[in-house]
């Protein structure tokens, strides 16, 4: 017998700078139930591999394993990976991302991805054989050299000495030995969750596109670009040419490139998260899906969380609406993405500052509107 569709599935991403995904979902649930007290609401906060991904998995059967690692500039930080069976999910942002910079001070030339590698080592040594690496919120532009070093790779200068961590030191690289990493990861599959398709080098590369966001000035961007180019040549000799130009190689300051050198598969972050949380099963009982993020715009259409959720809902024949702090998408854009409607907070209060500070209250009001519009009967 077909499953009765009785549930409203609330599956938003965070509203950055305002509310995390869990509190967005709870505010919407409050509004839905205020109008339709009997409605079943299944809150499924979403993530795309960036900050908050691992924490959310604890709600869907994953255990969190604490581990102490080096932060982006070498200081000790506490982080966790999520594990279920032989699957481990590792989040760059919480290990060595921007949020872990001491006092929030950028270190564009010296920050490293080393801590991410330390988490991976811990997961593999605990018996995990399927790794999912969430990229996002990176503080470094080191081509993933730190990640490789933590996994045992030898990143050497012309004197066969290991180079120190950080993007600037890649200008000294003469060769890379990946054999210790292959030994460590033998029998381990690696999937990278990333939402960008940038190559490692060039005008759309890691340094040019994302270096300024990490505090790099034009001269530093140029330095990092040249250093990454040298590193790419050395890695290419060890792992095969062409990886630097692959889509996603520029993700997280080039960590995507290092992962590709290890044989990883890169997938859209939201698609990975939907699989990990068995979202398809939740859809079988859903009559409506509510998703969203802080801002709906053209970048959202490239595969951000709301569009990924909408695609899954559409495939299951379930109508879906979007919420946002602000939306710049027109009706045609929304329809093409599969949304039956969009509900920006600015439709209630046009002041963006108030929308950010009063997001929970406004989202509850939006929940009421959605209930009146879509949960009749």
């Amino acid at each position: 017998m077909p499953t009765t569709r009785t549930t409203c599935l609330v599956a938003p991403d965070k509203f950055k700078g305002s509310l995390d995904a869990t509190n967005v979902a709870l505010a919407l649930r409050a509004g839905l139930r205020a109008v339709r007290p009997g409605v079943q609401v299944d809150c499924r906060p979403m993530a795309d591999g960036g900050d908050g991904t691992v924490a959310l998995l604890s709600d869907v059967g994953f255990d969190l394993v604490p581990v102490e690692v080096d932060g982006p500039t070498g200081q000790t930080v506490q982080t966790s990976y999520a594990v279920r069976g032989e699957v481990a999910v590792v989040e760059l942002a919480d290990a060595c991302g921007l949020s872990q910079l001491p006092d929030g001070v950028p270190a564009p030339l010296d920050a490293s991805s080393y801590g991410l590698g330390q988490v991976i080592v811990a997961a593999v040594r605990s018996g995990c054989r399927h790794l999912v690496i969430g990229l996002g919120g990176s503080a470094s532009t080191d081509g993933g050299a730190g990640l490789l070093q933590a996994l045992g790779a030898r990143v050497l200068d012309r004197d066969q000495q290991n180079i120190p961590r950080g993007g600037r030191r890649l200008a000294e690289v003469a060769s890379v030995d990946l054999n210790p990493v292959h030994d460590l990861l033998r029998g381990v599959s690696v999937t990278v969750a990333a939402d960008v398709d940038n190559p490692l080098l060039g005008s759309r590369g890691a340094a040019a596109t994302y270096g300024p966001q990490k505090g790099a000035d034009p001269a530093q961007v140029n330095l990092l670009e040249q250093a990454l180019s040298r590193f790419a040549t050395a890695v290419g000799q060890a792992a095969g040419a062409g990886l630097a130009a692959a889509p996603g190689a520029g993700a997280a300051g080039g960590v995507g490139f290092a992962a590709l050198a290890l044989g990883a598969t890169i997938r859209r972050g939201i698609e990975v998260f939907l699989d990990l949380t068995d979202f398809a099963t939740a859809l079988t009982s859903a009559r409506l899906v509510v998703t969203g993020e802080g801002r709906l715009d053209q970048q959202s259409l490239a595969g951000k969380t709301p569009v990924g959720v909408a695609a899954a809902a559409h495939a299951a024949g379930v109508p879906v609406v979007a919420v946002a702090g602000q939306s710049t998408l027109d009706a045609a854009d929304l329809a093409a993405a599969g949304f039956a409607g969009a509900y920006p907070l600015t439709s209630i209060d046009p002041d963006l500052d108030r929308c950010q500070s009063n997001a929970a209250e406004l989202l509850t009001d939006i929940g009421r509107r959605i209930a009146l519009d879509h949960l009749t009967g």
Side-chain angles (χ1 to χ4, degrees), residues 68-283:
E68 186 175 274
V69 302
D70 291 356
T73 53
Q75 80 287 10
T76 299
V77 302
Q78 302 294 328
T79 186
S80 301
Y81 63 91
V83 62
R84 186 175 64 190
E86 293 189 336
V87 177
V89 183
V90 179
E91 178 188 315
L92 181 152
D94 196 54
C96 52
L98 289 165
S99 63
Q100 296 290 11
L101 285 166
D103 300 318
V105 179
L109 299 181
D110 299 314
S112 167
S113 56
Y114 193 89
L116 175 63
Q118 291 177 298
V119 184
I120 291 172
V121 169
V124 171
R125 288 180 175 168
S126 75
C128 295
R129 289 297 173 262
H130 304 284
L131 295 177
V132 177
I133 305 174
L135 301 187
S138 167
S140 60
T141 307
D142 72 344
L147 162 69
L148 296 177
Q149 289 171 314
L151 296 178
R154 301 181 70 215
V155 183
L156 306 172
D157 62 20
R158 66 181 62 185
D159 297 320
Q160 295 296 290
Q161 299 298 309
N162 290 302
I163 68 164
R165 304 175 200 172
R168 81 162 87 212
R169 304 310 291 265
L170 299 180
E172 305 167 21
V173 175
S175 64
V176 175
D177 178 9
L178 296 177
N179 289 322
V181 185
H182 294 313
D183 290 340
L184 174 71
L185 297 182
R186 186 169 287 114
V188 177
S189 67
V190 182
T191 300
V192 170
D195 282 342
V196 302
D197 61 1
N198 304 69
L200 179 67
L201 305 171
S203 60
R204 295 186 62 248
T209 305
Y210 303 110
Q213 299 174 15
K214 303 171 188 182
D217 62 31
Q220 291 172 327
V221 166
N222 185 59
L223 185 157
L224 289 167
E225 176 73 12
Q226 294 182 45
L228 288 172
S229 179
R230 187 177 180 94
F231 180 59
T233 298
V235 172
Q237 292 170 350
L243 296 178
V255 171
F257 168 70
L260 287 169
L262 302 178
T265 299
I266 296 183
R267 296 181 59 201
R268 287 284 182 190
I270 183 57
E271 294 174 359
V272 174
F273 194 83
L274 292 174
D275 287 347
L276 288 171
T277 57
D278 197 16
F279 194 70
T281 297
L283 283 168

Side-chain angles (χ1 to χ4, degrees), residues 18-19 23-24 26-28 30-31 345 348-349 354-368:
S18 184
L19 293 175
N23 283 303
V24 172
L26 292 175
L28 288 166
L345 302 190
I348 299 176
D349 188 337
R354 287 198 297 267
C355 284
Q356 188 169 39
S357 61
N358 298 328
E361 178 183 345
L362 293 172
L363 282 164
T364 299
D365 287 343
I366 291 293
R368 294 189 182 97

Side-chain angles (χ1 to χ4, degrees), residues 13 16 31 47 76 144 229 297-298 318 333 345:
D13 203 337
K16 192 171 183 178
T76 299
S229 179
D297 54 23
Q298 291 297 319
V318 183
D333 290 329
L345 302 190

